[in-house]
Amino acid sequence: MQHTARPARIAADDLRVVLDHWQHMRDLIDTARPRTGAEYLRALDAHDAAEAALDRAAAAPEREHLVLAEQPAPLRLHVVDACRAVEVTLCSLADEIAAEVQRSPITPPRRAVAGDAAALDLELLAMRDAADERRWRYNLSEQRTAPRAAEWLLARLHDEAGPFLPLDEAQRARIGRIAREAARRIERTVGIEQRRAYPMDDRPCPWCGATLTMHRGGSDADAVTCENGYDCGAPVPVVEGRRTWAAPHELVALEQALAAAEQRRKRAEARRRQRAAARAA
């Protein structure tokens, strides 16, 4: 079950999960607590080297106790993998969005002319613009972290001032999809995954036109509910006062009904435009 857009406030909530729980993820790794993507990779290399040493020790039992004594504590590799996946994904997303909305730095004058106040002002302006902390940095490794990417994307969702164009709906939807997956990966890893409700404001119920809500996360399977309950004529059960699509075949049928309703809406819109054009003619 998919839908194309979610309200920005939900995407913002997902990015805040990254900000609020990133330290928890790092704390779960081991006492070394790697801090950057490069350090995660070095930690994995160290773990592989430790495993190789243990394999060699198995072939020489008389030295096994010496080799074991030299090995670091084992990493919780599933946590390392989760950290690395979230960090790479969010930084890559920030790269993509910045390439589309971030204004290029002001170009300083090519040649400085002694006594030219305007050229000096332009040079100072260019330096300040290039050093603007609000900019996303493609190559500054110490700033390419999951929290920094989440903060930057959150600022774009909120249309905060800076050298940026506003996000369009497709960019907001892209951030929402990736932020949701990053948040769910973190929640699963640190054991705080919760059930969430996502209003499907852009896709009303095909049977009654009321608001549909997607319910995801936690231990239960995905489900969709219609707020009209018994007043909705959808062919699914009413659960706790709401029509509820929960079984896989019900969700498939709902997706098909939503697609058909969208097609009807587009055809009706096309007919309205044709009538308006005919009246204008």
Side-chain angles (χ1 to χ4, degrees), residues 105-129:
I106 296 171
T107 304
R110 292 188 176 182
R111 294 181 180 177
V113 179
D116 187 341
L120 179 59
D121 288 344
L122 181 58
E123 187 173 359
L124 292 174
L125 180 61
M127 290 174 60
R128 286 197 295 268
D129 188 46

Side-chain angles (χ1 to χ4, degrees), residues 6 10 13-14 17 183 187 194-198 213-218:
R6 297 186 304 143
I10 300 298
D13 288 345
D14 288 335
V17 168
E187 289 172 337
Q194 298 176 351
R195 191 89 169 149
R196 288 187 175 186
Y198 303 108
T213 301
M214 168 72 77
H215 304 269
R216 314 188 82 159

Side-chain angles (χ1 to χ4, degrees), residues 74-91:
L75 292 169
R76 302 181 68 177
L77 289 184
H78 74 287
V79 183
V80 175
D81 288 342
C83 286
R84 182 167 54 181
V86 169
E87 189 157 79
V88 169
T89 300
L90 288 180
C91 287

Side-chain angles (χ1 to χ4, degrees), residues 171-271:
Q171 290 161 341
R172 289 179 178 274
R174 196 189 328 164
I175 293 172
R177 287 194 300 271
I178 294 177
R180 178 183 62 205
E181 294 307 318
R184 294 184 73 183
R185 183 75 180 265
I186 289 174
E187 289 172 337
R188 286 195 300 268
T189 304
V190 301
I192 58 165
E193 187 172 22
Q194 298 176 351
R195 191 89 169 149
R196 288 187 175 186
Y198 303 108
M200 298 167 59
D201 295 331
D202 58 327
R203 307 183 81 185
C205 177
W207 283 269
C208 68
T211 299
L212 295 176
T213 301
M214 168 72 77
H215 304 269
R216 314 188 82 159
S219 58
D220 295 331
D222 291 353
V224 176
T225 59
C226 174
E227 63 183 1
N228 261 359
Y230 289 103
D231 293 330
C232 174
V236 291
V238 174
V239 179
E240 296 182 356
R242 294 176 176 235
R243 290 286 177 190
T244 300
W245 292 261
H249 71 277
E250 294 171 344
L251 292 172
V252 169
L254 174 59
E255 181 62 34
Q256 292 170 345
L258 286 167
E262 178 64 13
Q263 288 300 316
R264 290 194 297 271
R265 185 191 67 76
K266 289 181 178 178
R267 287 195 294 269
E269 207 170 82
R271 287 195 295 269

Side-chain angles (χ1 to χ4, degrees), residues 6-17 19 97 101 134 149-162 164-169 171-172 175-176:
R6 297 186 304 143
R9 65 180 180 86
I10 300 298
D13 288 345
D14 288 335
L15 290 172
R16 289 192 187 97
V17 168
L19 295 172
I97 298 297
V101 305
R134 296 170 297 182
E151 287 176 350
W152 189 85
L153 292 167
L154 192 58
R156 302 289 69 75
L157 286 174
H158 290 326
D159 294 321
E160 293 184 9
F164 313 104
L165 297 171
L167 297 176
D168 61 29
E169 288 306 311
Q171 290 161 341
R172 289 179 178 274
I175 293 172

